[in-house]
Amino acid sequence: MDRKANRREKEYEEKHSNSEGCDPEKDYKTSLITLNVGGYLYITQKQTLTKYPDSLLEGVINGKIMCPLDADGHYFIDRDGLLFRHILNFLRNGELLLPEGFRENQLLAQEAEFFQLKVLSDAVKSRWEKEQLACRETTFLEITDSHDRSQGLRIFCNAPDFIAKIKSRIVLVSKSRLDGFPEEFAVSSNIIQFKYFIKSENGTRLVLKEDNTFVCTLETLKFEAIMMALKCGFRLLTSLDCSKGSIVHSDALHFIK
């Protein structure tokens, strides 16, 4: 009887020991890695950091590359801690996703090269080249009368995304004041074409029907465009038609950053 009891106790201990070794919560905790990058702490999973073989992070985590530890025992990497969030997001998502207005392409490309992530480095450089090309190209937005193209406003800028922003803003303002008649204007890639412009004592108005109900004046649109440009860091280079003596009376505006 004693031998059977001892055998059962031994089997129970072995089974209990094996179940502890397969504790999923324990395995999950050991898969979490804390990195100290330039003083910023990042916690992520081992599988994220080892996603790209032969990268510096994969080498560090798998013990191929020696890495110093900070006072708390975390891996310490002496690089830009703020930019590392974009490195980590790339490892998580598998694609380059940057916030609107991001302007540190050069620095991020250097970080990607340091971490030996060629795919990321190529993606950053491609994005940078496209932005440089876009900056050299001047684009425009034309707000015009479908019956008389001499009546209207042209906005020139070397940033296509800003032109798109102005266009969406003007369309939004126009729709909000058309009282259910959005068909009274048409929008193409670079042109907003209203059905009517008329002259009145208060200036040129954008009209939706014969009783002269108006959307807003062209002067209002000019001020709207100028204020948006200044808030986005652009400056008014010149009025392309200075003969009229005032910005609000000009036919075109030219913005540059």
Side-chain angles (χ1 to χ4, degrees):
M1 290 290 291
D2 289 341
R3 289 180 181 176
K4 288 183 178 179
N6 290 336
R7 193 184 308 119
R8 286 174 183 170
E9 287 179 3
K10 188 175 182 180
E11 288 175 354
Y12 174 79
E13 287 176 359
E14 289 177 354
K15 185 177 180 181
H16 185 67
S17 175
N18 290 336
S19 65
E20 283 185 346
C22 298
D23 184 356
E25 185 177 351
K26 186 175 180 181
D27 289 343
Y28 177 73
K29 287 180 179 178
T30 57
S31 74
L32 295 180
I33 305 291
T34 301
L35 296 177
N36 181 340
V37 183
Y40 291 81
L41 295 182
Y42 291 90
I43 301 176
T44 187
Q45 296 185 69
K46 179 179 178 180
Q47 65 188 44
T48 301
L49 297 174
T50 58
K51 186 173 184 179
Y52 288 89
D54 301 325
S55 70
L56 183 136
L57 291 170
E58 186 271 337
V60 168
I61 301 305
N62 287 331
K64 303 175 188 176
I65 299 173
M66 294 295 294
C67 181
L69 304 178
D70 66 9
D72 296 316
H74 305 136
Y75 292 110
F76 176 76
I77 303 176
D78 190 16
R79 301 299 294 185
D80 192 319
L82 284 173
L83 280 178
F84 187 73
R85 64 181 279 243
H86 304 303
I87 303 286
L88 191 55
N89 281 333
F90 175 78
L91 294 174
R92 289 167 173 159
N93 302 314
E95 61 178 319
L96 179 62
L97 300 171
L98 296 173
E100 184 178 351
F102 183 80
R103 289 290 181 269
E104 297 183 301
N105 294 297
Q106 241 181 323
L107 290 174
L108 184 56
Q110 289 180 349
E111 295 302 294
E113 289 178 3
F114 173 82
F115 287 104
Q116 298 169 22
L117 293 165
K118 187 177 184 306
V119 178
L120 175 58
S121 178
D122 291 344
V124 175
K125 288 177 181 177
S126 175
R127 180 183 188 273
W128 187 21
E129 288 171 358
K130 288 179 181 177
E131 285 186 353
Q132 293 295 105
L133 182 62
C135 286
R136 290 193 293 268
E137 295 178 352
T138 299
T139 188
F140 72 95
L141 174 65
E142 181 177 325
I143 306 162
T144 185
D145 180 352
S146 60
H147 301 289
D148 182 3
R149 294 192 65 179
S150 67
Q151 294 293 322
L153 171 67
R154 291 175 181 82
I155 300 172
F156 294 84
C157 184
N158 64 338
D161 56 339
F162 178 67
I163 289 293
K165 187 174 182 179
I166 288 184
K167 182 169 70 172
S168 63
R169 173 62 179 156
I170 291 173
V171 168
L172 180 65
V173 170
S174 301
K175 281 188 176 181
S176 68
R177 300 190 185 184
L178 277 171
D179 299 327
F181 295 92
E183 68 277 10
E184 296 295 335
F185 67 90
V187 182
S188 65
S189 58
N190 289 91
I191 297 176
I192 300 177
Q193 197 169 70
F194 285 85
K195 190 170 182 180
Y196 299 106
F197 282 163
I198 65 162
K199 290 286 186 179
S200 71
E201 293 180 359
N202 296 323
T204 302
R205 295 172 181 258
L206 282 61
V207 181
L208 68 88
K209 52 187 176 180
E210 301 299 337
D211 64 3
N212 296 347
T213 303
F214 66 93
V215 180
C216 57
T217 65
L218 277 176
E219 286 74 13
T220 303
L221 293 182
K222 291 171 190 176
F223 279 122
E224 182 85 15
I226 291 170
M227 292 305 297
M228 286 179 64
L230 294 178
K231 286 179 181 178
C232 292
F234 291 89
R235 60 190 176 91
L236 181 61
L237 181 64
T238 181
S239 164
L240 295 185
D241 182 1
C242 299
S243 62
K244 302 197 176 181
S246 170
I247 290 176
V248 294
H249 295 117
S250 64
D251 295 329
L253 303 172
H254 191 171
F255 299 109
I256 194 169
K257 184 175 283 190

